[in-house]
Amino acid sequence: MLVLSRGQVAAVLTMRDVIAAVEGAFAAHARGSLPDVPGVLATHVPGGGFHVKVAALGPGAGVYAAKINANFPANPVQHQLPTIQGLVALFETGSGRPLALLDSMEITTLRTAAATALAARYLARAQAHTLTIVGCGVQGRAHLRALAEVRPIRTAWLHDVRPGTAERLAEELGPELAMELRPTRDLAAAVAQSEICVTCTSSRQPVLGPDDLHPGLFIAAVGADNPEKQELDPHLLARSRVVADLAEQAATIGELHHALRAGLMARTDVHAELGEVIVGARPGRTSEAESFVFDSTGTALQDVATAALAWERAKRAGSGLEVMLEA
């Protein structure tokens, strides 16, 4: 079994390749060619919680991944540790043989931004060049890089409630990216000028409302991965075409969950799952005026595709530590 650190995972993956791997996983799911439905288990403990996401890719000699992430918000102050820590265990489906144990943080970061980039490829305007990022932490950084792969972004407004965070991100990525990065405190004005908006926060109340919606806008809501989190007002969803990563999961823990509880949407109002759009079973954008919301709750499909890619690349590169569990 191969053990890979976060740095070793990062060294063998590129955003472009992760986007391709995640696209393949969503497409396979939409075609019904995977052995099982991805699942989620959440456990709350004092001060935080754990969630487990599992999925398999196949058929035939496929791979199975189980990602366990711990989320402890007080960690940075109380223990000088990251808020989120975790592992991905990768297995061979044909025999059950353990293949790899990988740090999950780089995988989670890349696969989340990759799904947003895929959604933007199919749902945002083809020539969209203006972007707002709400939340300028790790995911904000990854999303800037991912969206640059699929759309000709020229201007990105950066908004964060934490003083100096947007400015630091602009200074860090400004020399790397071929776009103008503009920190802003006026979120409404930024969104009004944008064709794409990504919310990647830990908010438990809406940061965007129906007044922020305008023709042609594509919103990717990334932060809601449990029932308590929320970034979008349910009225905004009700006035948009909603595409979910997985509809059932979004109805349980995503932005869709809040719209259903408010009685503003039914499950049948969901336009499509992302995989259905990718394979052409459901239409993506058909006019410049359509407004879309991508409800991204984060799926094990993304995790298993990204972990398998990292394992294959690391093996070829001779990276990581080989461990014999049966010895």
Side-chain angles (χ1 to χ4, degrees), residues 53-92:
K53 294 185 176 182
V54 299
L57 286 181
V63 289
Y64 172 93
K67 185 177 80 172
I68 306 173
N69 268 6
N71 188 326
F72 284 75
N75 266 1
V77 174
Q78 292 185 0
H79 304 292
Q80 292 73 56
L81 291 170
T83 298
I84 299 176
Q85 303 168 92
L87 300 168
V88 178
L90 192 69
F91 299 82
E92 183 182 76

Side-chain angles (χ1 to χ4, degrees), residues 69-141:
N69 268 6
N71 188 326
F72 284 75
N75 266 1
V77 174
Q78 292 185 0
H79 304 292
Q80 292 73 56
L81 291 170
T83 298
I84 299 176
Q85 303 168 92
L87 300 168
V88 178
L90 192 69
F91 299 82
E92 183 182 76
T93 57
S95 66
R97 177 172 63 98
L99 299 174
L101 190 65
L102 309 89
D103 178 90
S104 72
M105 301 320 300
E106 193 70 16
I107 288 170
T108 301
T109 298
L110 292 174
R111 63 74 148 157
T112 304
T116 296
L118 277 174
R121 178 182 287 165
Y122 289 93
L123 305 176
R125 288 173 171 172
Q127 296 304 314
H129 62 273
T130 51
L131 163 68
T132 293
I133 296 287
V134 187
C136 296
V138 171
Q139 280 298 338
R141 182 180 296 104

Side-chain angles (χ1 to χ4, degrees), residues 1-13 99-102 310-323:
M1 183 181 73
L2 193 62
V3 179
L4 295 170
S5 69
R6 181 174 187 174
Q8 289 166 331
V9 170
V12 296
L13 293 179
L99 299 174
L101 190 65
L102 309 89
W311 167 67
E312 291 167 357
R313 293 277 178 83
K315 277 198 310 177
R316 289 202 296 266
S319 180
L321 174 67
E322 284 285 357
V323 176

Side-chain angles (χ1 to χ4, degrees), residues 260 265-271:
L260 294 174
M265 290 183 67
R267 295 193 186 195
T268 53
D269 293 326
V270 175
H271 174 69

Side-chain angles (χ1 to χ4, degrees), residues 179-202:
M179 65 180 74
E180 183 180 5
L181 302 181
R182 297 182 179 179
T184 181
R185 294 176 182 240
D186 192 340
L187 178 56
V191 175
Q193 300 174 78
S194 296
E195 296 158 288
I196 297 173
C197 178
V198 179
T199 58
C200 41
T201 75
S202 57

Side-chain angles (χ1 to χ4, degrees), residues 248-325:
E248 188 63 31
Q249 186 168 296
T252 304
I253 64 174
E255 297 295 338
L256 177 61
H257 160 74
H258 299 286
L260 294 174
R261 287 191 64 186
L264 294 172
M265 290 183 67
R267 295 193 186 195
T268 53
D269 293 326
V270 175
H271 174 69
E273 290 188 342
L274 179 56
E276 293 176 314
V277 176
I278 290 171
V279 302
R282 295 287 295 160
R285 177 174 290 276
T286 58
S287 79
E288 291 291 287
E290 289 176 300
S291 299
F292 280 93
V293 169
F294 174 49
D295 193 356
S296 175
T297 56
T299 79
L301 289 171
Q302 299 155 255
D303 295 315
V304 66
T306 308
L309 180 62
W311 167 67
E312 291 167 357
R313 293 277 178 83
K315 277 198 310 177
R316 289 202 296 266
S319 180
L321 174 67
E322 284 285 357
V323 176
M324 301 295 292
L325 294 180

